[in-house]
Amino acid sequence: MPASPSTARAINDRLALRLLVQEGALTATQLKQMTGLSRPTVADLVERLTAAGLIAVVGKSGEQRRGPNAKLYGIVADRAHLAALDVRTEGVSVLVSDLVGRVLAEASVPIDGAMGTGPALEQAVALVERAAKEAGAERLHTVGIGAPGLIDPGTGELRPSTGLPVWHRRLVTALQERFPESRVSVENETNLAALAEQRDGAARDRDTFVLLWLGLGVGAALVLDGSLRRGASGGAGEVGFLPVPGTSGLPAATDCDGGFHSLVGAAAVGELAAAHGVGPARATGASREAGAVGGMAGVPSVADPAELVREAVRRQGADPAARRFLADLAERIALGAAAVVSVLDPGCVVLAGEIGRAGGDTLAARVHERLARLSPLPTEVRPTLLGGEAVLRGALLTARDRAQEELFAQR
């Protein structure tokens, strides 16, 4: 059935807005060429969107040439401000952007694990307030949060977990109370990292892939046919519980010890490095994600597992111990990856998290080699391209998409 005039106008408006988001400022002639709409139709939609405060004249094309120039139209970026948060067990990072995703302010704050729930929440919320003020945002339209843990698909809230601070679960409510006009939502950190890698990182050319998160915790995000899959209970990708050979036992419903986590979690990587005699030559600070674990006898500092991996990559050419450590680590990672590949056949696995980032191309190549011997299914293994910013980037992309969807739909 043909669309009604109002429906046709709404479709045309959304098409033009999406093009302006993707391409940047355009002239009416360029909009006509890209949309295939007639010149009068484009003139009408430009007038409507300008009156609605969604687009404005941002310049003129060919300003360097003499003669008349066509007006350039662009999204009114300050129509809405957004916030993205990356929530860790020991701190919070936040950035504030405009409607098109241009970052206006960034900040972070450590949160002491011994701090009570109330003070921890106050620190986190105050951080968002300061960042918003620095960005010149009177209000926040949308706030996207990335956090470890399971998201209940029914409520959209973090599920209780004995391994995570209580303030994590209460942060959405605290932010909603402080910013009552904002749309606040939370998503699993690994899922957000996968969305960011899909849009801007290592999986830009893939519509099906698995992101394997290797850090303090272990998890996976599944993107199948272009869509993130969360599972019936929100637990798709909980590979830390995956039973694998080489552990001292089996995982339980409430404890991933004995599962894949026991082979490739941060503590296990620190122990593996120590067993191979790989350790820091001098004190190294604990990473934001992995914390302080492991270490070698006789080394006067506590080692960061991600730094151990990074150091082994640097030394592998001249150090047989570093090569053996990386080979054994790749073997462990390939065990879990092979199980996921045998079920999903994703064609691509992205290694992310602090340890995946530290291993880079070297670790990815070793995992690829071992995985090719374990599985008959051809699978690329790639390192993250976004590194430690993947979660924040994914939270920002999600917040931007939701804000644009709502504001553009109002037209």
Side-chain angles (χ1 to χ4, degrees):
M1 297 176 61
S4 66
S6 61
T7 300
R9 285 194 295 270
I11 293 172
N12 293 340
D13 289 355
R14 289 290 293 275
L15 176 58
L17 288 166
R18 288 299 176 195
L19 283 171
L20 290 169
V21 168
Q22 294 167 10
E23 305 293 334
L26 298 170
T27 66
T29 298
Q30 289 171 323
L31 281 171
K32 173 183 176 297
Q33 293 170 343
M34 292 182 178
T35 61
L37 300 173
S38 67
R39 187 175 298 277
T41 300
V42 169
D44 287 344
L45 73 82
V46 166
E47 183 178 354
R48 282 195 304 274
L49 296 178
T50 301
L54 290 175
I55 69 172
V57 176
V58 296
K60 292 185 177 180
S61 67
E63 288 182 333
Q64 71 279 10
R65 300 193 308 267
R66 294 182 179 181
N69 300 306
K71 295 177 181 178
L72 281 169
Y73 295 94
I75 298 291
V76 178
D78 61 0
R79 175 66 184 270
H81 290 92
L82 324 168
L85 282 75
D86 182 4
V87 178
R88 305 280 108 196
T89 55
E90 66 280 1
V92 177
S93 296
V94 61
L95 59 81
V96 176
S97 82
D98 59 23
L99 183 58
V100 296
R102 185 172 62 246
V103 176
L104 305 174
E106 296 182 76
S108 61
V109 64
I111 295 181
D112 190 339
M115 185 180 293
T117 299
L121 284 172
E122 184 57 37
Q123 277 205 5
V125 173
L127 179 73
V128 179
E129 288 183 318
R130 290 196 301 272
K133 183 177 180 180
E134 181 183 340
E138 295 183 2
R139 59 182 291 267
L140 295 173
H141 183 282
T142 306
V143 179
I145 304 170
L150 292 178
I151 310 298
D152 188 315
T155 65
E157 298 176 351
L158 275 170
R159 290 182 172 179
S161 171
T162 56
L164 297 173
V166 175
W167 65 267
H168 279 203
R169 299 200 312 275
R170 299 184 182 175
L171 182 57
V172 170
T173 300
L175 286 169
Q176 197 69 77
E177 290 173 353
R178 192 68 60 92
F179 302 97
E181 296 181 348
S182 302
R183 292 83 172 150
V184 184
S185 62
V186 63
E187 177 61 272
N188 173 267
E189 59 178 355
T190 307
N191 287 343
L192 289 178
L195 292 175
E197 295 286 356
Q198 181 188 27
R199 297 273 285 274
D200 298 326
R204 281 175 294 182
D205 60 337
R206 309 290 307 199
D207 62 359
T208 295
F209 70 98
V210 169
L211 181 135
L212 191 57
W213 184 274
L214 305 169
L216 177 61
V218 178
L222 320 178
V223 176
L224 307 178
D225 299 324
S227 299
L228 180 69
R229 306 296 184 182
R230 297 178 177 84
S233 65
E238 284 297 305
V239 295
F241 289 86
L242 187 69
V244 290
T247 64
S248 59
L250 290 173
T254 57
D255 189 352
C256 60
D257 283 348
F260 187 45
H261 174 86
S262 296
L263 289 185
V264 296
V269 173
E271 293 168 0
L272 181 65
H276 282 284
V278 174
R282 58 185 181 276
T284 57
S287 73
R288 182 172 64 87
E289 176 192 81
V293 299
M296 290 178 55
V299 176
S301 64
V302 179
D304 166 11
E307 182 56 34
L308 292 174
V309 173
R310 192 173 292 109
E311 182 65 18
V313 170
R314 286 195 292 263
R315 291 164 41 190
Q316 61 176 325
D319 187 346
R323 292 195 295 273
R324 289 192 296 269
F325 165 57
L326 291 172
D328 281 358
L329 179 58
E331 176 88 15
R332 292 182 174 197
I333 295 170
L335 286 175
V340 174
V341 166
S342 67
V343 174
L344 297 176
D345 187 17
C348 179
V349 173
V350 176
L351 302 184
E354 287 291 323
I355 291 170
R357 175 168 53 131
D361 290 323
T362 296
L363 184 60
R366 287 178 176 271
V367 174
H368 178 270
E369 179 184 1
R370 183 56 184 147
L371 183 58
R373 286 184 279 156
L374 290 175
S375 172
L377 306 177
T379 307
E380 289 186 71
V381 180
R382 303 175 178 177
T384 171
L385 291 184
L386 300 178
E389 300 302 316
V391 176
L392 262 182
R393 181 64 182 163
L396 176 59
L397 288 169
T398 302
R400 189 188 73 180
D401 289 349
R402 288 172 178 167
Q404 290 178 359
E405 184 71 23
E406 178 176 329
L407 292 171
F408 295 174
Q410 291 173 359
R411 285 300 311 141

